[in-house]
Amino acid sequence: MALVTGASRGIGRAVALALAARGARVVVGYHSRAEAAGAVVAEIAQAGGTACALGGDVARREEADALVAAAQERFGRLDVLVNNAGRTRDGLLLRMGDDAWREVLAADLDGAFYCLRAAARIMLRQRSGRIVNIASVAGTVGNAGQANYSAAKAGLIGLTRAAAAELAPRQITVNAVAPGFIETDMTSALSPAVRQAAAARVPLARFGRPEDVAEAVCYLASPAAAYVTGTVLVVDGGLTMGA
Ligand code: NAP
């Protein structure tokens, strides 16, 4: 049974669909878009899978804890947590207000920590579990205009490695996936000129699809990756190779 946070759209939606297609019962986590989350659940059911939607703001500890507890209660166990919920609020460093800094750190890093900690308590009892954190190449190379987001994603990679080291003795793996430019609402806000310039920098010459990231997540959540922990799988069309 898998909990995917931020699964109402974009990468999280593709991950939920892909895990369900591989037979996992899936909890579709969402923040504000209950209807979109319901549509993902319906799509999974139509394909013969089992899913339900659960709301909550992962940036708030009580809500993150309640989300993980409800997910576990719904299906009786928790095998996979995909920490995918995230947001951006871009701006140049010198003009970045405290609120923009805090909001992004709260959603992208605090939220992942709260869900990971709550899930680890359950997985430690089970003596098994898979945790996949959706980071970003912004966290490995840094992006101008994204000091808050880059810091959150770099922190998420550090959290991934520390948690992997702590949880390995109980056969719980913790890995990260670091996408580059992926076609979602998050990147559709970019102007056509910026999108074109960005795609031109990608050796594979296109933005990635949410499904490209979902395949990497499914691998890390699968039995095939039983001996893989503490790693960062980069899915960026070659954008940061050699960096
Ligand atoms: P998206 O289309 O903007 O979707 C974001 C998802 O996160 C939504 O389901 C949203 O829920 C949920 N969410 C946001 N804040 C939340 C909160 N506080 N609590 C619970 N859920 C919350 O984003 P995306 O592009 O698919 O990105 C998904 C993940 O991949 C993020 O962590 C992002 O940083 C990372 N990533 C994306 C790209 C890219 O190019 N797109 C690249 C690298 C990394 P609602 O819809 O219900 O509000």
Side-chain angles (χ1 to χ4, degrees), residues 18-241:
L19 287 171
R22 284 160 174 80
R25 293 172 294 172
V26 177
V27 171
V28 174
Y30 67 92
H31 181 208
S32 53
R33 291 170 172 77
E35 208 172 306
V40 177
V41 169
E43 207 174 330
I44 289 172
Q46 207 159 23
T50 305
C52 73
L54 290 174
D57 180 353
V58 298
R60 296 173 183 271
R61 180 171 39 77
E62 307 74 28
E63 295 189 30
D65 284 347
L67 173 65
V68 173
Q72 194 256 349
E73 264 166 42
R74 180 70 178 76
F75 292 119
R77 51 187 293 118
L78 181 59
D79 300 301
V80 178
L81 165 68
V82 183
N83 269 319
N84 166 80
R87 56 166 301 175
T88 51
R89 197 169 151 192
D90 298 350
L92 293 174
L93 184 60
L94 296 187
R95 290 198 210 128
M96 185 172 287
D98 296 357
D99 51 344
W101 172 264
R102 257 312 335 138
E103 275 177 29
V104 171
L105 267 289
D108 293 45
L109 184 56
D110 297 358
F113 167 66
Y114 297 144
C115 291
L116 189 155
R117 183 176 58 184
R121 286 179 180 138
I122 296 165
M123 291 174 176
L124 282 168
R125 287 197 296 273
Q126 289 176 180
R127 292 180 175 269
S128 69
R130 297 298 170 87
I131 298 171
V132 183
N133 296 322
I134 307 300
S136 167
V137 293
T140 57
V141 296
N143 275 350
Q146 290 195 312
N148 48 4
Y149 184 71
S150 300
K153 295 300 189 181
L156 186 54
I157 290 171
L159 172 63
T160 300
R161 293 192 169 127
E166 277 192 39
L167 300 174
R170 297 287 184 96
Q171 302 304 312
I172 298 163
T173 67
V174 189
N175 291 287
V177 172
F181 292 111
I182 308 297
E183 295 277 7
T184 68
D185 291 348
M186 197 175 266
T187 46
S188 67
L190 302 171
S191 72
V194 171
R195 287 169 58 86
Q196 218 169 7
R201 286 172 46 215
V202 180
L204 286 175
R206 65 169 175 87
F207 275 29
R209 294 178 296 265
E211 292 74 19
D212 293 321
V213 182
E215 288 298 321
V217 174
C218 285
Y219 164 66
L220 291 170
S222 76
Y227 201 57
V228 180
T229 196
T231 195
V232 181
L233 180 47
V234 176
V235 182
D236 70 349
L239 179 66
T240 63
M241 73 170 111

